Amino acid sequence: MCSELADDLPDEDLGEYLYDCIDMYRMGSKPRCEEVEYLGMVQEAIDRLEQGC
């Protein structure tokens, strides 16, 4: 399941853990619309992993 979720996220932004993506992310490093979409996708993947979906 992790690989399915990770397929939707850009490879260069993934660390070993999805939480790292959010913890290490620097606001303003992407255009605002991309930033919101990226952070939303990461959070959705984290939520799905926690729910076991």
Side-chain angles (χ1 to χ4, degrees):
M1 176 202 305
C2 292
S3 64
E4 262 182 57
L5 295 172
D7 285 344
D8 293 336
L9 300 170
D11 291 338
E12 69 274 4
D13 293 326
L14 290 177
E16 185 175 346
Y17 301 101
L18 288 175
Y19 292 105
D20 290 345
C21 294
I22 292 177
D23 292 341
M24 307 283 278
Y25 186 77
R26 292 187 333 188
M27 294 301 285
S29 64
K30 295 181 186 287
R32 182 71 180 143
C33 59
E34 289 179 26
E35 189 169 71
V36 170
E37 182 180 4
Y38 170 75
L39 293 174
M41 287 172 43
V42 172
Q43 187 60 54
E44 182 181 327
I46 289 170
D47 293 344
R48 288 180 60 192
L49 285 172
E50 287 176 350
Q51 294 172 2
C53 296

